Amino acid sequence: MKYTLDTIPVLDAYKTECECPLCKLRIHCEDQYIDSMLSSAYMEPDYRLKTNETGFCTRHFELMYNRRNRLGLALMTHTHMQEVIKSLEGILGGESGAKRGFLSSLRGGGKTAADSQPQKIRARMDGCFICDQMKNSIERYAYTIAQLYFTHTEFRGMFDNSKGFCLPHLALVLEMAEKTLNASQAEQFAKVVSRVELENLRRVEGELEWFTLKFDYRNDSKPWGNSRDAVERSINKLMGACVGAEAEMPAHND
Ligand SMILES: [Zn+2]
Ligand SMILES: [Zn+2]
């Protein structure tokens, strides 16, 4: 796959205070995808074919549900549901249905796990149109980070003093660097990433420890330092932004 740079959003994310700039970018583009799905994309036949087939994950259904355009969501859900019913007619109905499952279990098998109704139902519900699109955008940002490190002096300085990444995005950035930089650059980049990451993991771990120690009455009068939101930041560092201020979606009135 050929990636292209997307410099400005990456520089902007590095200028803000956060534990993972890729999480910041992820939330921003997630918000834009939700917007576009509910404002116009759902009326475009190409998009609609894809959303009918793929549907959405629970997170993205929930985020769309939290917006005001209930008719747009209803229309997309309706035609997706029609597609799902067609698939379920195949999975549950006729020869491939429960009867054959029962007969073949009497015969003692011949059926692989992937053929089973539960597996087929799970496979049908797999996937999310918004997750698929976001994956491409985030890979592009991770690619941009790896490239800018060797081409943009100001960015290199920002990166060296950054707070690293959450662990899922750490893995992604290292993977994109390995795929798209030459061997010596990839090695150099991996060393810098590792230094920045370990320093910052230890910092957050220390802040979390101080949070727990603040529950000891002997520490009552001592200052909190940076530890007030250490639980949120620790969870976000480990898993990607999912709790607290860093995980908040922008406010909307639509
Ligand atoms: Zn992240
Ligand atoms: Zn999703």
Side-chain angles (χ1 to χ4, degrees):
M1 180 163 174
K2 184 105 182 71
Y3 296 98
T4 51
L5 291 174
D6 197 0
T7 305
I8 303 296
V10 168
L11 292 178
D12 287 346
Y14 271 87
K15 282 175 194 154
T16 60
E17 187 64 9
C18 62
E19 292 292 346
C20 176
L22 280 172
C23 279
K24 190 121 212 153
L25 289 161
R26 190 259 291 167
I27 287 174
H28 180 71
C29 77
E30 195 164 35
D31 186 54
Q32 287 186 329
Y33 283 130
I34 301 279
D35 257 357
S36 84
M37 283 317 305
L38 291 175
S39 57
S40 56
Y42 72 89
M43 292 308 287
E44 287 172 27
D46 279 2
Y47 277 95
R48 204 54 178 279
L49 276 176
K50 288 179 187 146
T51 62
N52 287 348
E53 179 56 30
T54 314
F56 303 97
C57 67
T58 46
R59 172 172 171 82
H60 290 134
F61 262 128
E62 187 184 355
L63 287 173
M64 288 192 290
Y65 178 81
N66 291 341
R67 300 289 180 85
R68 291 252 294 275
N69 187 355
R70 202 47 62 76
L71 176 61
L73 180 59
L75 290 168
M76 277 190 294
T77 306
H78 179 227
T79 48
H80 170 57
M81 196 166 190
Q82 288 178 322
E83 286 292 314
V84 170
I85 290 172
K86 271 190 225 157
S87 309
L88 267 279
E89 282 167 355
I91 296 168
L92 300 178
E95 258 298 274
S96 60
K99 196 168 141 214
R100 197 184 70 169
F102 176 67
L103 288 176
S104 86
S105 75
L106 281 184
R107 286 196 296 269
K111 233 164 64 121
T112 63
D115 286 336
S116 72
Q117 285 177 334
Q119 285 306 97
K120 282 182 178 169
I121 295 166
R122 288 189 190 109
R124 180 63 188 87
M125 300 317 292
D126 247 11
C128 165
F129 180 67
I130 294 176
C131 282
D132 289 349
Q133 288 193 305
M134 280 177 42
K135 184 172 175 284
N136 293 336
S137 304
I138 298 301
E139 283 181 357
R140 189 173 168 208
Y141 291 134
Y143 164 81
T144 303
I145 289 171
Q147 297 296 318
L148 287 186
Y149 191 78
F150 293 96
T151 55
H152 196 295
T153 319
E154 191 197 348
F155 177 76
R156 183 186 282 229
M158 287 157 101
F159 188 91
D160 287 341
N161 293 304
S162 71
K163 294 180 171 176
F165 302 101
C166 69
L167 298 195
H169 286 143
L170 170 70
L172 176 68
V173 166
L174 288 172
E175 185 178 63
M176 292 304 286
E178 213 177 277
K179 271 206 263 186
T180 62
L181 294 172
N182 68 44
S184 91
Q185 285 182 332
E187 195 187 328
Q188 191 189 339
F189 185 70
K191 272 190 192 146
V192 179
V193 172
S194 305
R195 175 190 60 75
V196 171
E197 188 69 24
L198 286 173
E199 272 174 21
N200 281 285
L201 279 172
R202 291 186 195 113
R203 168 184 56 80
V204 178
E205 183 268 330
E207 290 165 350
L208 182 61
E209 183 181 31
W210 183 238
F211 181 96
T212 65
L213 294 173
K214 275 293 286 171
F215 284 75
D216 184 330
Y217 71 94
R218 285 166 297 190
N219 293 325
D220 251 3
S221 58
K222 293 182 187 159
W224 273 92
N226 289 328
S227 290
R228 279 189 195 277
D229 61 351
V231 177
E232 291 91 321
R233 286 186 293 104
S234 299
I235 294 170
N236 292 340
K237 202 79 181 163
L238 291 169
M239 306 307 294
C242 58
V243 292
E246 287 181 324
E248 262 168 38
M249 300 292 287
H252 283 272
N253 303 313
D254 60 336

